């Protein structure tokens, strides 16, 4: 059975099954793209990726995987942690992105070493403008191919217009019904 990290219910998986799904995904998708990215650890760059995913198409960020621009394959390193790592990620998102995007965090460990953690952060596309509120980081990011980029003026205008048009779209649908 192939597990789809974008849409399957990952809560029903065992840790070994989730690790296997991460391993299969990383081998099948070694290059980062519009809707997925890899990071070795949770950092401000990972926070930018979450904001960018929520402002564009949604996506997944797999934490614990090294993938450099010139690397041909992903390396599943894991994060050395004796306690739950997903709580750190969830706290960081809630404290530093406003409004908080719709997301889920799933955690597993490497089968051969329970201290090496991996997390899948699945972010849904939002209709709100999601801003990073952490001091020293530009507030608005969008996803462009394999990068989280600071939104330029035209992209910011598009995000604002999209947010403003959401209630009018609901009113149009209600009127049609």
């Amino acid at each position: 059975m192939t597990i789809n990290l974008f849409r399957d219910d990952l809560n029903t998986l065992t840790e070994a099954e989730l690790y296997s799904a991460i391993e299969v995904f990383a081998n099948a998708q070694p290059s980062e793209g519009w809707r997925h990215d890899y990071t070795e650890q949770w950092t401000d760059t990972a926070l930018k990726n979450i904001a960018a995913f929520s402002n564009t198409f949604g996506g997944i960020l797999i934490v614990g995987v090294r993938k450099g621009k010139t690397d041909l394959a992903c390396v599943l390193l894991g994060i050395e942690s004796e306690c739950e790592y997903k709580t750190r990620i969830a706290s960081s998102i809630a404290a530093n992105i406003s409004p908080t995007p719709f997301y889920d965090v799933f955690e597993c460990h490497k089968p051969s070493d329970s201290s090496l953690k991996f997390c899948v952060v699945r972010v849904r596309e939002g209709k709100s403008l999601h801003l990073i509120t952490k001091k020293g980081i530009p507030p608005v990011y969008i996803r462009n191919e394999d990068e989280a980029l600071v939104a330029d003026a035209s992209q910011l205008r598009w995000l604002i217009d999209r947010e403003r048009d959401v209630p009018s779209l609901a009113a149009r649908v209600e009127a049609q019904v």
Side-chain angles (χ1 to χ4, degrees):
M1 172 179 102
T2 303
I3 297 164
N4 185 321
L5 294 178
F6 289 100
R7 68 171 185 257
D8 288 348
D9 182 2
L10 303 182
N11 285 313
T12 63
L13 302 178
T14 65
E15 289 201 23
E17 290 170 330
L18 182 56
Y19 177 81
S20 177
I22 292 169
E23 191 173 41
V24 167
F25 184 86
N27 288 331
Q29 301 286 334
S31 297
E32 293 142 335
W34 286 95
R35 296 195 61 227
H36 72 281
D37 211 332
Y38 304 104
T39 186
E40 286 183 52
Q41 295 188 34
W42 185 259
T43 62
D44 288 346
T45 300
L47 196 61
K48 294 172 190 177
N49 277 311
I50 299 304
F53 283 138
S54 63
N55 282 331
T56 49
F57 313 111
I60 59 172
L61 178 66
I62 302 177
V63 183
V65 178
R66 179 174 57 212
K67 173 61 175 88
K69 294 275 184 200
T70 59
D71 294 340
L72 297 176
C74 297
V75 179
L76 277 69
L77 299 173
I79 300 156
E80 188 78 34
S81 179
E82 294 300 325
C83 60
E84 200 175 66
Y85 201 76
K86 71 180 187 176
T87 303
R88 176 180 174 190
I89 292 171
S91 296
S92 177
I93 292 170
N96 296 300
I97 301 178
S98 181
T100 304
F102 294 108
Y103 71 95
D104 296 299
V105 183
F106 306 95
E107 181 176 309
C108 67
H109 60 78
K110 194 170 192 169
S112 61
D113 187 349
S114 64
S115 69
L116 293 178
K117 308 288 184 181
F118 295 87
C119 289
V120 175
V121 184
R122 184 166 51 192
V123 183
R124 284 176 274 186
E125 174 185 0
K127 297 301 179 196
S128 297
L129 174 58
H130 298 277
L131 305 170
I132 293 184
T133 58
K134 189 169 183 178
K135 189 175 180 175
I137 301 176
V140 183
Y141 285 83
I142 54 98
R143 189 77 181 168
N144 186 21
E145 294 188 22
D146 63 346
E147 297 179 291
L149 301 175
V150 175
D152 65 24
S154 66
Q155 293 160 335
L156 187 55
R157 168 81 335 208
W158 175 79
L159 290 167
I160 292 168
D161 288 345
R162 179 186 71 175
E163 183 176 39
R164 186 188 65 219
D165 290 343
V166 168
S168 64
L169 175 61
R172 286 194 309 243
V173 169
E174 187 177 310
Q176 287 177 349
V177 170

